[in-house]
Amino acid sequence: MVLPKFEYLTPATLEEATMLLSELGSGAKIMAGGTDIIPPMRDKVLKADYLIDIKHIPGLEYITYDETEGLKIGALTKLYDIQTSKLVKEKNPSVAQAAKYVASTQIRNKGTMVGNICNASPSCDTAPILIAQNAAVQVHGPENDRVIPAGSFFKGVKKTWLEPNEIVTGLVVPPAGRGRVRRLHQALRP
């Protein structure tokens, strides 16, 4: 596999990463697992003069659960870890199931759920469950942090509502409401 020439950058903090995005402009791309960025670069479908690899930034790989806020998944959390997490299987098995069906085991061991949605591909495997469960996309920018509802995150094919110098730091999936699925099925009946 031959990749085009690019500069590989490894910021140590979110602030450094957003500063690099601001300074380097549209030629800079964020990378975590790399499964959605390296193949298109190799195939010359995506051009990047700079790859900003965020996998060395501490605090972005986690799976936690809060009874009020729900399931929290960090930007660097691998799909395989989500798929096999006892906590995810217990608190929100549909999220674990969605992670399980992304590509192959090799991809799930490198790729992240956040990367999967940031790619904004029409075939994004994890977006439907995040949208259906009213998940929130946590975003860090140079001036402030913000939250984008998963249902509003996608602007179009390969496009999101992220600003050019923003980075997704995590996802929050609200607790599954008892009876919510039953109410949804009843609402959908003719």
Side-chain angles (χ1 to χ4, degrees):
M1 164 171 59
V2 176
L3 289 170
K5 186 177 177 180
F6 64 90
E7 190 170 339
Y8 179 76
L9 306 166
T10 56
T13 65
L14 278 172
E15 290 70 25
E16 184 181 350
T18 53
M19 181 191 71
L20 286 168
L21 280 174
S22 296
E23 289 176 2
L24 301 173
S26 63
K29 305 294 182 207
I30 291 292
M31 181 177 86
T35 60
D36 281 332
I37 200 161
I38 297 297
M41 285 179 64
R42 176 201 60 214
D43 297 340
K44 296 179 177 42
V45 175
L46 175 71
K47 183 175 178 354
D49 299 317
Y50 305 92
L51 279 186
I52 303 170
D53 190 343
I54 63 169
K55 77 172 149 248
H56 300 290
I57 297 175
L60 295 179
E61 187 173 350
Y62 58 86
I63 299 173
T64 62
Y65 187 82
D66 177 273
E67 292 296 331
T68 305
E69 294 182 65
L71 184 63
K72 297 178 182 183
I73 299 170
L76 296 179
T77 306
K78 308 279 186 299
L79 286 157
Y80 185 79
D81 294 336
I82 297 167
Q83 165 193 340
T84 59
S85 166
K86 289 180 183 177
L87 181 64
V88 178
K89 287 179 180 180
E90 175 191 336
K91 298 297 186 179
N92 200 321
S94 57
V95 171
Q97 197 72 1
K100 179 180 179 179
Y101 287 107
V102 176
S104 65
T105 302
Q106 293 88 344
I107 296 294
R108 291 191 302 275
N109 275 311
K110 287 287 289 174
T112 66
M113 189 172 281
V114 166
N116 188 246
I117 66 163
C118 286
N119 187 33
S121 170
S123 62
C124 176
D125 301 290
T126 60
I129 197 65
L130 296 173
I131 293 168
Q133 293 195 24
N134 300 315
V137 180
Q138 298 174 310
V139 178
H140 175 77
E143 296 175 20
N144 61 354
D145 292 348
R146 65 186 180 120
V147 174
I148 303 172
S152 302
F153 184 71
F154 304 99
K155 191 177 193 177
V157 175
K158 301 285 189 179
K159 296 177 182 165
T160 69
W161 284 104
L162 286 174
E163 295 296 327
N165 54 2
E166 290 182 321
I167 299 170
V168 176
T169 58
L171 303 166
V172 179
V173 184
R178 292 196 174 135
R180 179 165 52 171
V181 173
R182 184 179 304 128
R183 287 192 305 273
L184 178 62
H185 286 296
Q186 289 171 344
L188 294 175
R189 287 187 188 147

